[in-house]
């Protein structure tokens, strides 16, 4: 027997084992590659979600910052208005004290400061009404005065015309 022949089946068997081993390694490598690709895709997806979330958070932060700036401006405006109102209140405080003093002087007529203010409003309204009526009467008086002047002129003309006619008739009678 040929020694090379005996080696051939062993070599073939070794070759088949190596080929089988290489196939397993190739499959393992392909599986590993698939897992790696899947891992990369998941990482890419996670990265995209993280970027989107970061962009959304940045957008929300900018919106909140803009809102804060707007609210700060409104606050400053309100502080200014508050300061002006405080000034008005402090200036009007003397009037409040005056009204309280008047009310205390005649409590039987004005039990409350509001009664005093109501009386003032009533008098002010009555004054406005009387002023309006006075203007109406003055206007009516002017109108009547104009009618009187016109009537007087007409009557004077009528008298002059009548006197002229009488004079003409007397002259005609004398002739």
């Amino acid at each position: 027997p040929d020694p090379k022949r005996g080696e051939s089946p062993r070599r073939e068997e070794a070759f088949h084992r190596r080929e089988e081993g290489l196939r397993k390694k190739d499959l393992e490598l392909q599986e590993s590659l698939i897992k790696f690709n899947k891992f990369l895709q998941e990482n890419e997806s996670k990265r995209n979600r993280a970027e989107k979330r970061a962009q959304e958070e940045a957008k929300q932060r900018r919106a909140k910052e803009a809102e804060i700036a707007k609210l700060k401006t409104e606050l400053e405006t309100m502080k200014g208005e508050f300061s002006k109102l405080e000034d008005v209140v402090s200036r009007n405080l003397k009037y409040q004290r005056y009204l309280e003093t008047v009310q205390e002087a005649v409590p039987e007529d004005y039990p409350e400061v509001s009664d005093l203010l109501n009386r003032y409003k009533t008098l002010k309204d009555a004054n406005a009404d009387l002023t309006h009526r006075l203007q109406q009467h003055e206007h009516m008086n002017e109108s009547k005065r104009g009618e009187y002047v016109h009537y007087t002129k007409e009557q004077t003309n009528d008298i002059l015309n009548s006197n002229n006619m009488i004079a003409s008739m007397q002259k005609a009678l004398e002739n």
Side-chain angles (χ1 to χ4, degrees), residues 151-163:
Y151 177 75
T152 305
K153 282 183 184 179
E154 281 183 358
Q155 292 306 314
T156 304
N157 282 340
D158 284 349
I159 291 171
L160 285 175
N161 286 338
S162 294
N163 284 341

Side-chain angles (χ1 to χ4, degrees), residues 25-167:
K25 285 197 182 227
D26 187 44
L27 280 176
E28 288 172 6
L29 191 60
Q30 283 181 8
E31 285 177 17
S32 178
L33 186 60
I34 289 171
K35 285 180 184 177
F36 183 69
N37 279 339
K38 188 175 179 183
F39 171 77
L40 287 178
Q41 286 175 348
E42 286 174 0
N43 275 355
E44 181 70 18
S45 175
K46 286 178 185 176
R47 187 179 64 78
N48 287 340
R49 282 194 306 266
E51 282 179 1
K52 232 181 206 182
R53 187 172 47 246
Q55 288 173 353
E56 190 61 37
E57 287 172 358
K59 181 180 175 184
Q60 289 175 355
R61 183 180 40 80
R62 286 190 300 272
K64 290 291 182 187
E65 287 172 351
E67 185 179 353
I68 287 170
K70 178 184 166 206
L71 290 173
K72 281 182 178 179
T73 303
E74 287 178 17
L75 178 64
E76 289 304 313
T77 301
M78 288 179 169
K79 282 180 179 178
E81 289 174 9
F82 180 76
S83 177
K84 288 177 187 174
L85 289 174
E86 276 185 326
D87 291 345
V88 169
V89 166
S90 68
R91 281 193 313 254
N92 290 336
L93 202 55
K94 60 185 171 189
Y95 300 113
Q96 177 69 27
R97 287 189 195 116
Y98 172 75
L99 290 172
E100 288 170 356
T101 305
V102 170
Q103 184 269 326
E104 288 168 3
V106 281
E108 61 279 352
D109 292 336
Y110 306 108
E112 298 289 328
V113 171
S114 60
D115 297 324
L116 190 60
L117 291 172
N118 288 337
R119 179 68 177 148
Y120 170 76
K121 184 183 181 317
T122 302
L123 291 173
K124 184 178 173 188
D125 291 344
N127 185 32
D129 183 50
L130 289 172
T131 302
H132 178 69
R133 288 171 56 190
L134 176 66
Q135 288 172 347
Q136 285 179 328
H137 287 271
E138 285 176 349
H139 179 69
M140 196 167 36
N141 191 20
E142 275 300 310
S143 175
K144 292 293 180 190
R145 191 172 289 146
E147 288 175 18
Y148 174 73
V149 168
H150 181 69
Y151 177 75
T152 305
K153 282 183 184 179
E154 281 183 358
Q155 292 306 314
T156 304
N157 282 340
D158 284 349
I159 291 171
L160 285 175
N161 286 338
S162 294
N163 284 341
N164 284 341
M165 195 182 295
I166 291 172

